[in-house]
Amino acid sequence: MQFWAELPENWAVSRETPGEILSAAQMRAVESAAIAAGATTGAALMEAAGAGVVAAVARHWPEPGQALVLAGPGNNGGDGFVNAGLLAARGWAVALFLLGDPARLPPDAATNLRLWAATAPVHRLDGLDDPALAAALAPEMLVVDALFGTGLGRGIDGIAALSARLEAQPLRRVAVDIPSGLHADSGAALGEGALRADLTVTFHAPKLGHVLGEGPALCGRLVVADIGLTGPAEGAARLVAPPGAGPLAKRMGHKYSHGHALVLGGGPGHGGAARLAARAALRIGAGLVTLAPPPEAIPENAARLDAVMLAPVADAAALAVLLGDRRLNAVALGPGLGHQRARDLVPAVLATGRAAVLDADAISGFAGDPAALLALLHPAAILTPHEGEFARLFPALAARLADPAANRVEIAREAAARAGCTLLLKGPATVIAAPDGQASVHVAAYGWAAPWLATAGAGDVLTGMIAGLMARGLAPMPAAEAATWLHAAAARRFGPGLIAEDLPEALPGVLAELLTT
């Protein structure tokens, strides 16, 4: 089942209306605004959430059996009380266990507990290691995790023991909103850990923690239930959607009307990364691509290239002469460039104000003086670091990423604002941020996983794809988003055994599907 298969129609990710992905605070703000406007009530939202969970359970496990609902001390527990009642109405034999003091439940949760208690017992838990809970578990039982939701910011005592107990036998596990113990903004398992689910049902929109960090491994299948909320969340990141056909289609004209990308290369024996980037820029649709290594590396590259042109660039002065040709409208630099050559050539490229993608050595070459690079950047540039390169350029921000509660999107936004250009922070969930605060997340998890991208040279291909799209006229943010989506789609299309050289060759099939649908 693909990740988006069960999203409601009014939310679904599409080329026209990309969906949002929210932090816990943004979700609370959406709920509070709807309640304040009189559009709904807390009780109605709780009923809708409970119904959404049970509807998803019915689709995945249609035959009723035994169910055990673990309810916590907050509104997530309130959702659990609703789940218990609705499951019982569908024929499940339900046992409800409550962690915490019922007298301290929020009002709406307390109301739903009273409704359940009027017809069935409530089993109190002294802790997550309570022997009564162990005695109640049975193989193939449905366990509903409604202990702690998206507001959790600390570890839970006893969660590791409970997790081990649940893992010790075959159970069907559903998490309400998010697996207990998983941070909703970072995707980190807090304290002793988090419970694993086979199915996670969240509400209105995915949360950052569902796709970042350990989220995909702990959530199982992810379903988004519609609970009647509408409207955008202030400051929310977008989910990267498939690119539209318009920017990708070849227009009538000549090769120069589709842009000319320049890829800067390194010395002899170090040209593979730049050749990968150049091939990718050509495959993505740039009209022309030139690779510019040092003069002594021309023979090596000439033996390996055909459609990609070559131009020798010995130093910054030679590069300035080459860039005098304004038809060279996008530059990729960094893959295989070498640190010293990067320090020489990066200033010459950025001084022109031309569209530029900086990766690998173009970032790491300034590790000793990141301020020197940051001072040169401009809005037409894109930085594409992995976490190690990000740490060399933004050491203080990188240190914050180590915090289990860190919001990766907000940190990427801060970095983009400091750099004054678009930043693409690589990872299984790639975060793209612009200096004006726009942010998006590309999800390569669940049905959209692309594990084969963990191969040498894949990032060099992405650099070339972004440069090729910018050569064709795409602005930095759309170019980064489209390239990231196409990059993962090409990997999925090829599948196991992928190496970086396969990615550009898989692109025509991906593009053909997009252009004909």
Side-chain angles (χ1 to χ4, degrees):
M1 185 186 77
Q2 290 191 341
F3 177 55
W4 311 125
E6 298 192 56
L7 293 177
E9 290 183 2
N10 68 343
W11 188 91
V13 174
S14 71
R15 296 172 187 169
E16 294 77 24
T17 56
E20 294 178 335
I21 185 161
L22 306 183
S23 68
Q26 288 162 346
M27 183 64 194
R28 287 193 296 271
V30 169
E31 292 173 332
S32 297
I35 292 170
T40 189
T41 64
L45 290 174
M46 192 170 287
E47 289 289 336
V53 171
V54 173
V57 167
R59 287 194 298 274
H60 286 79
W61 301 296
E63 294 299 322
Q66 289 183 289
L68 189 150
V69 176
L70 297 172
N75 282 327
N76 198 245
D79 295 339
F81 306 145
V82 177
N83 297 157
L86 294 176
L87 285 169
R90 286 179 177 261
W92 290 79
V94 180
L96 175 68
F97 284 78
L98 171 63
L99 177 68
D101 182 357
R104 301 180 65 180
L105 285 167
D108 294 328
T111 296
N112 283 304
L113 177 61
R114 286 193 293 271
L115 290 173
W116 171 262
T119 59
V122 176
H123 305 283
R124 293 282 304 280
L125 291 175
D126 291 330
L128 295 181
D129 56 354
D130 194 316
L133 178 57
L137 291 171
E140 305 304 326
M141 176 178 275
L142 175 72
V143 177
V144 178
D145 169 15
L147 287 167
F148 297 94
T150 58
L152 188 70
R154 57 174 176 80
I156 308 166
D157 292 339
I159 196 79
L162 176 59
S163 177
R165 184 170 290 151
L166 296 178
E167 295 290 346
Q169 54 185 301
L171 298 168
R172 294 171 286 181
R173 305 168 181 83
V174 58
V176 177
D177 211 0
I178 197 163
S180 290
L182 185 66
H183 196 278
D185 289 350
S186 69
L190 298 168
E192 297 178 10
L195 300 183
R196 181 181 64 83
D198 301 302
L199 169 69
T200 297
V201 184
T202 194
F203 313 117
H204 179 60
K207 312 307 179 293
L208 294 169
H210 292 133
V211 301
L212 298 175
E214 298 176 67
L218 291 170
C219 287
R221 293 179 173 180
L222 180 64
V223 173
V224 178
D226 184 355
I227 57 173
L229 296 171
T230 59
E234 184 177 354
R238 304 185 313 276
L239 283 156
V240 172
L248 301 177
K250 283 280 190 177
R251 304 177 301 277
M252 294 296 289
H254 52 79
K255 57 192 177 186
Y256 283 105
S257 66
H258 294 101
H260 189 166
L262 175 66
V263 179
L264 298 179
H270 299 280
R275 288 194 295 271
L276 286 170
R279 181 77 171 176
L282 199 60
R283 278 292 191 198
I284 205 70
L288 301 98
V289 178
T290 292
L291 175 61
E296 61 271 22
I298 288 288
E300 169 192 318
N301 286 288
R304 301 290 303 276
L305 298 172
D306 294 310
V308 174
M309 298 180 291
L310 287 165
V313 168
D315 52 26
L319 179 57
V321 172
L322 183 61
L323 290 174
D325 183 350
R326 298 302 300 179
R327 293 176 298 181
L328 290 162
N329 61 335
V331 185
L333 62 165
L337 195 60
H339 288 190
Q340 184 56 55
R341 186 166 164 81
R343 288 192 292 271
D344 186 31
L345 300 186
V346 167
V349 171
L350 294 178
T352 69
R354 215 160 296 187
V357 189
L358 283 74
D359 185 31
D361 290 340
I363 298 172
S364 296
F366 291 84
D369 187 11
L373 177 58
L374 294 175
L376 299 170
L377 294 166
H378 54 74
I382 299 179
L383 295 169
T384 63
H386 55 57
E387 284 198 12
E389 292 159 350
F390 184 85
R392 293 175 196 123
L393 198 53
F394 304 101
L397 292 177
R400 284 169 48 192
L401 281 174
D403 184 342
N407 185 322
R408 191 178 179 91
V409 170
E410 291 307 314
I411 289 172
R413 278 184 167 129
E414 287 188 44
R418 290 189 192 181
C421 70
T422 297
L423 179 134
L424 184 153
L425 181 55
K426 296 173 185 172
T430 294
V431 178
I432 305 167
D436 64 359
Q438 292 184 72
S440 60
V441 180
H442 177 265
V443 177
Y446 303 98
W448 290 88
W452 311 285
L453 282 174
T455 185
D460 306 320
V461 172
L462 178 62
T463 295
M465 290 171 64
I466 297 171
L469 289 173
M470 289 206 294
R472 295 187 58 179
L474 269 69
M477 187 84 172
E481 291 174 334
T484 303
W485 192 94
L486 292 164
H487 189 242
R492 289 191 296 270
R493 185 179 183 87
F494 189 92
L498 174 84
I499 59 175
E501 289 94 323
D502 300 320
L503 287 166
E505 309 319 306
L507 277 173
V510 174
L511 293 170
E513 289 180 6
L514 285 173
L515 295 173
T516 56
T517 56

